[in-house]
Amino acid sequence: MKINKTARLDLSRKEMQDFGYKVVDAIVDHFETQDQKLPVATASRKEIDALFCEEAPENPMAADDVLKFVLENVMTNSNVITHPKAYAFVPGPSNYISVMSDTLATGFNIFAGGWVGSPAAAGVEINTVNWMLKLFNFQVKKGGGIFTSGGSMANLTALATARKVKCGDEFSKAIIYLSDQAHSSNIKAINILGFKKEQVRIIPTDMEFKFSINKLKNAIAKDKIEGLQPFCMIASAGTTNTGTIDPLEELAKICKKENIWLHVDGAYGAAAMLSKNGKKLLKGIEKADSLTVDPHKWLFQPYEIGCLLVQNHKWLSRTFTEKPVYLRDIEGNPSEINFYDHGIELTRNFRALKFYMSIKTFGLQAFRKAIDYSIDLTEAVEAELRKSNKWEVISPATLAIINFRYNTVEEKLSEKKLDEMNQKISAKMMASGEALLVTTILQGQVVLRMCLINPRTTIEDVKNTLTLCEKFALE
């Protein structure tokens, strides 16, 4: 019985090479020209449907034609989040070595779930997790971790582990504490895990957007009096809104005293541990029971790679290990880690490879310098804003995030007008495509927010953006 070449989904060696070279050329061209592109892509649902809404074709097309269509229509209708003027949310600066590493991992289609699937993939992940444990002063021999798709999955994995360790199978009286600046992924995780709204305490932050210690202590005391079980606290090491770091040492003391699991969501800011100043600000992070870090943010990796670290690797295996009969032949000795026993996913791609190869290629020193540059740049932007009579700093430069609003000294606009003005500036900027700049709300005020973690962003980029913002304000 024969099957034709097309049905085997095969290409000849030359066809594979030619197609591969064109893909690599397109990626290299993107890296070299991204600064010249507009960072913002806008399209309506009607326009997108007109491009892509079609029946699945029964007959083949030339691979070159498919690639040409994708490059012209998919890539051009996506934001360039690696652009120097992509300031919104948390940009993903990425790097070429990691991009090619992902291509290797995908091309070889390596299964990184279990040891038998790839001992080397497990070994690389063990080693890179150990790098992370050392960076955050977790115990390497006892500690552990796992690479996830991102911070959301890392936070979910952490909370599932905390619940298992602290509550076992009964968690009807368990109480979780987090601040009003905690990332929304934590609320999603809490909901997914089946906790009720009555089991969640959202603690207001102080004027610096940090966990209010007194209000937290009051909430814990009240819950204990009512016979409830305070079991988990979620602190932030670099909030998305302002880059604020919660008082980690004080929170760790409270958690130790009250037998509460301390989870630190450092998806954004924990990478600042590589910076001398960041290390000081993150003092106490080593006392967390679990820690989320997102390498695809401030460690310059392409999507998807998040990371969860824990103080005891056995916590993960005790939470997630299952022994179905169809996996019985691939269970090895205890030293051969099956990462599907340390997290939610059974099927896992080889995420660790891009982190491993980029660190080996550039060295940690390059990453340190890039993070230092981001912090210094944001402080320079703050200085520029404070020199101007048009801008007001609402939240100062903190871990490469700054919040400000247009508020001229002369106009003396009402709060309502100021909100409308800054919303208008953001809308016009996005419509122009010149910069990815959106608003957030701090202390009831609409403000413009910049996250400046891209090492290719210059002070001139920011100055040009601010000048354009001032132009939009006057229109």
Side-chain angles (χ1 to χ4, degrees), residues 169-469:
D169 296 326
E170 172 50 48
F171 57 94
S172 60
K173 293 185 177 181
I175 305 296
I176 302 173
Y177 305 86
L178 65 163
S179 86
D180 58 21
Q181 293 295 304
H183 194 271
S184 60
S185 63
N186 292 292
I187 295 295
K188 278 189 179 182
I190 289 166
N191 291 337
I192 290 168
L193 291 170
F195 290 100
K196 299 175 182 178
K197 287 183 179 180
E198 296 77 28
Q199 294 177 268
V200 182
R201 303 287 181 265
I202 298 179
I203 308 299
T205 48
D206 60 22
M207 293 299 290
E208 293 182 328
F209 307 103
K210 296 180 180 180
F211 233 120
S212 174
I213 296 295
N214 186 57
K215 290 173 182 174
L216 172 65
K217 288 180 175 179
N218 288 343
I220 293 172
K222 183 181 178 183
D223 288 330
K224 288 173 68 178
I225 289 169
E226 293 180 0
L228 301 173
Q229 181 192 359
F231 93 98
C232 182
M233 184 186 304
I234 303 170
S236 298
T239 60
T240 302
N241 256 351
T242 62
T244 299
I245 299 170
D246 282 325
L248 300 179
E249 287 202 294
E250 291 181 77
L251 294 176
K253 288 177 184 176
I254 294 170
C255 288
K256 184 177 181 180
K257 179 183 176 183
E258 302 290 353
N259 190 28
I260 294 173
W261 180 287
L262 176 58
H263 174 60
V264 175
D265 182 357
Y268 168 66
M273 196 74 171
L274 283 167
S275 159
K276 185 178 286 187
N277 290 335
K279 192 172 185 178
K280 291 177 184 175
L281 293 171
L282 290 163
K283 192 175 181 182
I285 200 168
E286 72 282 354
K287 297 175 182 176
D289 294 293
S290 56
L291 169 65
T292 289
V293 188
D294 254 4
H296 63 211
K297 291 188 173 75
W298 215 355
L299 287 170
F300 314 108
Q301 303 300 309
Y303 301 125
E304 303 172 340
I305 180 170
C307 182
L308 172 66
L309 303 177
V310 293
Q311 294 286 6
N312 189 335
H313 66 89
K314 292 181 181 178
W315 292 340
L316 295 176
S317 57
R318 288 170 185 167
T319 302
F320 296 105
T321 299
E322 294 291 338
K323 299 291 184 183
V325 293
Y326 47 79
L327 295 180
R328 68 188 184 91
D329 288 338
I330 63 171
E331 294 298 325
N333 67 54
S335 69
E336 298 172 355
I337 294 176
N338 293 313
F339 279 98
Y340 56 63
D341 285 336
H342 285 209
I344 296 165
E345 298 168 298
L346 172 58
T347 303
R348 304 174 68 245
N349 63 6
F350 191 8
R351 298 183 182 108
L353 185 63
K354 54 191 167 192
F355 189 56
Y356 176 79
M357 288 184 68
S358 60
I359 296 292
K360 294 267 285 186
T361 300
F362 296 112
L364 274 180
Q365 192 61 38
F367 287 79
R368 292 184 200 280
K369 289 179 179 179
I371 291 170
D372 280 333
Y373 173 80
S374 301
I375 293 171
D376 292 342
L377 173 63
T378 313
E379 290 174 354
V381 170
E382 180 181 346
E384 286 294 320
L385 290 166
R386 293 197 187 278
K387 286 191 295 186
S388 171
N389 64 354
K390 295 181 175 67
W391 296 101
E392 177 187 13
V393 174
I394 302 301
S395 175
T398 308
L399 293 190
I401 292 176
I402 187 166
N403 290 272
F404 54 96
R405 65 176 180 173
Y406 187 82
N407 184 9
T408 62
V409 173
E410 297 87 0
E411 290 184 86
K412 298 188 181 348
L413 297 175
S414 67
E415 288 297 318
K416 182 180 178 183
K417 288 290 185 183
L418 285 172
D419 286 349
E420 291 172 354
M421 176 68 76
N422 285 277
Q423 197 69 60
K424 181 184 83 168
I425 290 171
S426 172
K428 283 182 171 289
M429 185 65 77
M430 294 292 284
S432 75
E434 293 289 339
L436 185 57
L437 180 67
V438 299
T439 65
T440 189
I441 295 177
L442 292 178
Q443 297 172 344
Q445 300 170 327
V446 175
V447 300
L448 298 167
R449 175 187 167 280
M450 280 188 172
C451 180
L452 300 170
I453 64 170
N454 191 332
R456 295 182 295 275
T457 301
T458 65
I459 189 68
E460 286 73 26
D461 290 325
V462 179
K463 286 180 180 179
N464 292 339
T465 301
L466 293 174
T467 298
L468 192 53
C469 286

